[in-house]
Amino acid sequence: MPTLQLSEIWIYPIKSLAGLSLPQATLTSRGLLYDRRWMLVDETGRFLSQRTLPQLALFEVRMEEDSLIITHRESPSNPLRIPLVAEGGEALQVEVWDDTMSAQGGFPEADAWFSAILGRNCRLVYQPESTHRTVDPKYARQGEITSFSDGYPFLLIGQASLDDLNTRLETPVPMNRFRPNLVVTGGQPYEEEGWENFRIGEQEFWGVKPCARCVLTTIDQQTAEKGKEPLRTLSKYRNWNNKILFGQNLLPATDLYTLRVGDTVDILTSKPGPLQ
């Protein structure tokens, strides 16, 4: 069998904006360092995402020392700079799906910048260390927490799974349609959905459940144009209990390490996935 290896590491510092590819990343209890610690919300505190605002894909993000630099592809000469970490500030309640949690606001320059480009009122908020948003207790092992992610601190996808999907599509799609944190090469298509317990380098993980996919996967991350694929094709062979599955949500073991592209993946225990 070919060796399983970690081939890509991604973080998304601001939820639903463009991601950053990294050669290595440090784990924290709520996910990869800096992953989804910032988020845009509407006037009620409800999270904004590409599901309703596909144009969020056009915001590019890069890290520069202790700051995030955000640009919009249609006006790259007008960047926004915000801190990577923003402890302190105005306390408010925000919502991600069914979860309500404390966040920090008080970034008027950023609020005005995003609102002007998007043509609607919105606010930028940060998740402080004091906020402990727990994952669904149905799947938690020991009260794990997550950032502003949809529900879990890590998402892993096998490159073989995307390769198999692309053989079924008229126009192949890139991995960024699925916004993973970790991409693994080697192995068989969709086998990652059955990994129960495994290590990447020194870091141990637990597979939580296959990830149910939504319309965000149909948005071209370069143009923000919305189509029907790959969700239409996935629905024909990856449908389980009315959910379209692609990738695996993960929880970390208690001890936290640094992940590096090229790390070997060792499967400790596995079971057939729901569609295997």
Side-chain angles (χ1 to χ4, degrees):
M1 292 292 292
T3 301
L4 293 165
Q5 281 193 314
L6 181 63
S7 58
E8 299 177 32
I9 300 173
W10 289 87
I11 62 170
Y12 309 86
I14 304 177
K15 183 177 178 68
S16 229
L17 273 58
L20 289 174
S21 176
L22 303 176
Q24 65 179 53
T26 301
L27 271 74
T28 75
S29 58
R30 69 190 74 213
L32 295 176
L33 185 63
Y34 307 128
D35 186 41
R36 296 178 175 94
R37 294 299 293 272
W38 292 88
M39 177 174 70
L40 290 169
V41 299
D42 65 16
E43 294 165 302
T44 70
R46 183 76 174 172
F47 80 106
L48 297 176
S49 84
Q50 291 183 36
R51 295 169 181 86
T52 54
L53 289 174
Q55 59 266 46
L56 292 179
L58 300 179
F59 289 98
E60 297 184 336
V61 182
R62 71 178 190 270
M63 289 193 292
E64 191 174 284
E65 296 180 346
D66 58 354
S67 299
L68 290 174
I69 312 298
I70 303 99
T71 56
H72 191 271
R73 292 194 189 119
E74 295 178 357
S75 54
S77 61
N78 178 32
L80 173 70
R81 181 185 293 266
I82 61 172
L84 270 172
V85 179
E87 296 297 330
E90 176 190 357
L92 66 158
Q93 295 293 295
V94 299
E95 296 178 359
V96 178
W97 298 118
D98 295 329
D99 292 341
T100 300
M101 70 213 76
S102 297
Q104 291 173 188
F107 311 101
E109 179 185 354
D111 298 345
W113 189 86
F114 279 109
S115 296
I117 294 175
L118 292 172
R120 59 172 295 166
N121 290 330
C122 59
R123 300 184 68 180
L124 184 68
V125 299
Y126 177 76
Q127 186 183 87
E129 289 294 320
S130 57
T131 294
H132 283 193
R133 178 194 174 203
T134 55
V135 304
D136 187 340
K138 179 180 177 181
Y139 296 102
R141 297 182 62 85
Q142 39 196 346
E144 290 89 351
I145 63 175
T146 188
S147 58
F148 288 138
S149 69
D150 277 353
Y152 298 92
F154 302 95
L155 172 63
L156 180 147
I157 297 175
Q159 181 64 47
S161 301
L162 179 65
D163 294 344
D164 179 79
L165 167 63
N166 279 333
T167 66
R168 305 164 189 261
L169 297 173
E170 288 187 11
T171 303
V173 297
M175 186 64 81
N176 64 12
R177 290 289 189 99
F178 300 96
R179 300 176 70 81
N181 294 112
L182 309 173
V183 179
V184 171
T185 55
Q188 300 300 310
Y190 317 108
E191 76 166 83
E192 67 272 15
E193 295 173 9
W195 296 349
E196 278 189 307
N197 184 213
F198 60 97
R199 277 193 301 266
I200 302 179
E202 297 178 284
Q203 181 63 52
E204 188 174 350
F205 289 97
W206 294 93
V208 176
K209 65 175 185 64
C211 183
R213 310 316 305 228
C214 68
V215 294
L216 196 152
T217 61
T218 66
I219 298 167
D220 187 311
Q221 296 298 294
Q222 295 303 310
T223 66
E225 294 177 358
K226 191 173 180 180
K228 295 182 179 179
E229 296 291 7
L231 212 56
R232 180 171 59 183
T233 294
L234 283 170
S235 69
K236 297 176 181 178
Y237 74 108
R238 300 292 301 158
N239 196 318
W240 182 76
N241 284 353
N242 293 318
K243 295 179 180 180
I244 299 171
L245 307 182
F246 196 83
Q248 168 90 302
N249 295 123
L250 310 179
L251 295 174
T254 303
D255 294 331
L256 301 174
Y257 298 93
T258 295
L259 295 176
R260 297 173 178 84
V261 169
D263 280 347
T264 298
V265 181
D266 295 306
I267 309 305
L268 304 177
T269 61
S270 63
K271 62 181 180 181
L275 291 171
Q276 292 173 315

